[in-house]
Amino acid sequence: MPVAVRPRTRGSSSRWAQLVRTSAYGPDAHRPGPQAGETEDAVPTEPTTEPARDHHAPRDRRPSDDVDRDPLAPSTGPSIAPSTAASPAGRESAGQPRKSGPRDAFDNPPRSIEAWKPTGVRRQEVLRALGIFQRATAEHLWRMLRPGDRHDRCTRDTLNALKEAGMVRVERRLKSGHQLWVLTETGHREAKGLLPRNVRISALCRQKYDTRGRPVPGQGYDEHAAAVTLTAAVLTGAGYGTPLSWQTEIAHKLPYGYTQYADLTMRAPGAGVPAMLLEVDRVNEPVDDLVDKLRRYTDWFELLAPKADPNKEKAARHEQLGGKVQQFRLWPRLYPASSREGYVPVAFVFTGKTAEQRESRMQRLEQAGRRYFAGEPYPGWDAGITAVDYNQAVPVLVTELERITADPAGAAGKVWRRLGREEWQTLGEALDNPDGDRLYLVQWRQAKRRRKEREAAEREARRPVCTRCGAKFTDERWEYLLGRGRSWGDRTDELCGPCRDEHFARLEAERVARREAEEAAAREAAEAEVKKGRGLFGRRR
């Protein structure tokens, strides 16, 4: 912002010179709220050159293309949804520490001649997001609500406008220099009216005062809470749902008196993730605690629904009916169903420490928690079935905030790894089960065909062979013999159909010839007897 020096005098005596903020064409007194970068996380210390005095600056200065003006075109999606799923890569945060560059350059965009006014859509977005996550920095809200913006100035201006309206306030300044924003009592009521009934609003952070009536900075926010909010922000910015898709600290009550709370619960059916539970770990708790979380989640997933028959559930599990077991469970009634087999996926988001420490933590978690995510082999007829039954397993994913923010595609890139696999994949690929039910169906059909071929070969090997001509029995001949049973002493059972028919035809011919021979012999004997009775001259004596 150009700076002009205006002398201040009283009478004949001169006073100290007063700094007055100006725009390219004079003092910027018409724009409400603080100037860009002055009262927020980063304050420019070097003035920018004035276009009228800089021969490199164009005369007709136009507003920046990536800064909204009033009126603002509405987003294509829901009002709370980000206008685009672009990655934060290549964008700059006005609230981050100053980066290396020219002395007259800083993160905030240059001042335009048109004043930008926060629109009602952006105000509602910020109020909804703070109603869900309770606390957030301008960077978190920028990544979550407007990932298409190249900088967070518009988000910061919206926060400042809401602050003037008494809707939000700065709870404290973090060690990183970012300001932490929360809702006031008025903003909390407004956000509650904007949120749907099925979305739980977070508790109100009330302002505390000391004995002298001075505001006391809040102390209920730590680096873990910041990592949780940033995780939701980067996933939402990558297109996984909207801020309304998130819930924090959802309780999963267990029958033995323990309640497992999930850091984040995401529902993004439009992105192919109907539900997912996320646990944020700053590499500061034992791996055994993470394994215990998997155990408790598994125990909760196996809880029976009210009025469910435990005997039917046990029978379905014993008969390996796969997904049919889930109709007796409680969790499908609380979380949306998925086309993928298995329980609701659980993702561990690691951040902090070194990359080697995070990698070592993932490996130890994979080794210790294998029994909860590995699945069971499918029963098969032979060794050709290699598919895995994931219907009674928890899909466990791991990632790193540092990996997500460094990837050009953000959370939409190949920054997820399914425990039990080696490669890094996208979230959809990591949740998919290519070696599960689909592979089992293919292998089951192949095994069924191989079994039929094997049985046919074995049956063919048992097929009788004719002892006369050496030909194999036909199916009709074989079934006839199997149907009536083998007759003892009947040598025709060893003959095929044609040889048997030929055998019986020969026997019939021999019988006919024998009968004809007997008849001929009888006739000859009778004629001989007649001739013997007539004498020498043929007269009857």
Side-chain angles (χ1 to χ4, degrees):
M1 182 68 65
V3 179
V5 179
R6 182 175 62 191
R8 185 175 181 182
T9 62
R10 173 178 290 182
S12 61
S13 62
S14 157
R15 306 288 292 179
W16 289 101
Q18 180 183 7
L19 297 180
V20 180
R21 291 174 298 181
T22 63
S23 67
Y25 300 94
D28 192 5
H30 300 286
R31 185 178 180 275
Q35 301 300 314
E38 182 180 11
T39 61
E40 255 291 353
D41 302 340
V43 180
T45 58
E46 298 289 337
T48 57
T49 58
E50 186 172 344
R53 300 180 182 178
D54 189 359
H55 66 279
H56 295 290
R59 294 183 178 273
D60 296 330
R61 196 178 183 102
R62 303 181 65 85
S64 178
D65 294 335
D66 50 29
V67 179
D68 292 342
R69 300 188 303 273
D70 191 21
L72 175 67
S75 174
T76 57
S79 62
I80 194 68
S83 57
T84 178
S87 167
R91 298 180 290 149
E92 297 176 341
S93 171
Q96 294 176 350
R98 182 178 174 181
K99 303 176 182 179
S100 61
R103 289 180 57 84
D104 59 348
F106 50 89
D107 289 341
N108 278 333
R111 174 64 53 201
S112 64
I113 60 176
E114 296 189 20
W116 178 85
K117 297 180 180 179
T119 62
V121 173
R122 285 185 178 262
R123 293 170 186 257
Q124 292 179 5
E125 288 177 351
V126 171
L127 289 174
R128 288 194 186 101
L130 287 177
I132 295 174
F133 294 97
Q134 192 179 58
R135 301 175 173 92
T137 65
E139 181 186 4
H140 295 158
L141 297 174
W142 163 50
R143 291 177 180 271
M144 182 183 302
L145 302 175
R146 295 288 174 167
D149 294 349
R150 293 188 58 189
H151 48 75
D152 64 348
R153 198 195 78 184
C154 297
T155 302
R156 287 151 45 86
D157 287 349
T158 302
L159 287 168
N160 287 324
L162 290 172
K163 179 181 178 180
E164 292 182 357
M167 297 286 186
V168 300
R169 64 180 177 86
V170 177
E171 185 182 41
R172 57 178 292 197
R173 183 178 290 274
L174 303 177
K175 294 180 180 180
S176 61
H178 294 79
Q179 288 182 340
L180 190 64
W181 295 86
V182 296
L183 293 173
T184 62
E185 189 172 353
T186 303
H188 193 269
R189 289 196 301 267
E190 184 71 17
K192 187 175 182 180
L194 294 174
L195 290 174
R197 293 184 178 181
N198 61 337
V199 177
R200 185 188 63 181
I201 189 170
S202 60
L204 173 64
C205 295
R206 298 187 181 276
Q207 179 68 69
K208 296 181 180 180
Y209 300 89
D210 58 12
T211 56
R212 297 184 179 182
R214 294 175 299 186
V216 178
Q219 301 297 329
Y221 193 77
D222 55 12
E223 295 183 3
H224 177 267
V228 170
T229 307
L230 181 58
T231 299
V234 295
L235 263 72
T236 306
Y240 292 106
T242 69
L244 297 179
S245 305
W246 296 94
Q247 294 282 349
T248 59
E249 297 297 328
I250 296 298
H252 301 82
K253 296 183 179 180
L254 293 165
Y256 43 82
Y258 193 93
T259 301
Q260 177 64 49
Y261 290 91
D263 289 338
L264 285 170
T265 302
M266 182 183 73
R267 298 175 184 241
V273 188
M276 186 167 69
L277 308 178
L278 292 98
E279 294 288 339
V280 180
D281 178 63
R282 298 186 60 253
V283 197
N284 56 0
E285 57 181 318
V287 176
D288 293 340
D289 292 350
L290 305 183
V291 177
D292 289 340
K293 290 182 180 181
L294 286 180
R295 176 182 56 82
R296 288 190 289 266
Y297 277 127
T298 302
D299 293 343
W300 187 83
F301 289 137
E302 293 180 353
L303 291 180
L304 294 181
K307 299 181 180 180
D309 191 342
N311 295 326
K312 292 183 179 180
E313 188 270 345
K314 187 180 298 183
R317 181 166 35 176
H318 178 71
E319 295 175 5
Q320 299 286 344
L321 294 181
K324 292 184 179 180
V325 180
Q326 309 304 342
Q327 64 183 347
F328 303 100
R329 302 285 174 79
L330 174 64
W331 73 265
R333 306 189 183 188
L334 301 179
Y335 290 104
S338 174
S339 58
R340 306 180 183 95
E341 59 269 29
Y343 299 138
V344 178
V346 177
F348 287 91
V349 181
F350 297 98
T351 183
K353 299 295 178 65
T354 64
E356 292 76 11
Q357 288 174 309
R358 296 193 297 269
E359 178 63 27
S360 173
R361 198 169 186 81
M362 296 178 195
Q363 294 178 0
R364 286 185 291 158
L365 176 62
E366 183 174 11
Q367 295 173 0
R370 185 173 299 275
R371 60 183 178 276
Y372 300 112
F373 64 80
E376 298 291 338
Y378 266 107
W381 292 295
D382 51 21
I385 301 293
T386 61
V388 180
D389 184 4
Y390 291 109
N391 288 282
Q392 309 294 319
V394 181
V396 182
L397 286 72
V398 293
T399 187
E400 302 166 284
L401 270 180
E402 291 79 2
R403 183 182 294 269
I404 293 177
T405 54
D407 193 279
K414 294 187 176 184
V415 296
W416 303 88
R417 186 168 74 85
R418 175 85 169 262
L419 292 189
R421 304 176 187 174
E422 296 295 333
E423 67 276 8
W424 291 90
Q425 301 173 308
T426 63
L427 183 56
E429 293 172 346
L431 292 176
D432 196 16
N433 297 312
D435 58 341
D437 286 351
R438 295 198 307 272
L439 179 62
Y440 175 71
L441 182 60
V442 173
Q443 292 181 342
W444 179 81
R445 291 173 178 172
Q446 294 176 350
K448 186 178 180 180
R449 184 180 66 253
R450 289 195 301 268
R451 186 184 68 164
K452 289 183 177 180
E453 294 174 354
R454 184 171 61 252
E455 292 176 350
E458 293 174 354
R459 187 173 184 271
E460 193 66 22
R462 296 193 306 268
R463 185 183 295 272
V465 178
C466 181
T467 56
R468 177 175 295 180
C469 66
K472 292 185 177 181
F473 284 21
T474 61
D475 291 339
E476 293 79 4
R477 172 65 175 164
W478 194 7
E479 292 175 1
Y480 169 76
L481 294 177
L482 294 176
R484 73 175 181 85
R486 190 177 184 88
S487 301
W488 292 101
D490 190 353
R491 302 297 299 273
T492 60
D493 291 347
E494 299 177 355
L495 302 177
C496 63
C499 292
R500 177 179 177 276
D501 295 340
E502 182 181 352
H503 172 72
F504 283 113
R506 186 175 62 255
L507 292 179
E508 181 65 19
E510 292 176 356
R511 186 182 65 80
V512 172
R514 188 168 50 252
R515 186 177 66 250
E516 290 178 352
E518 292 176 353
E519 292 177 352
R523 286 195 303 271
E524 291 176 356
E527 292 177 355
E529 189 67 27
V530 171
K531 290 180 179 180
K532 183 178 179 181
R534 289 185 176 182
L536 180 59
F537 298 100
R539 294 182 179 179
R540 190 180 299 273
R541 294 182 298 178

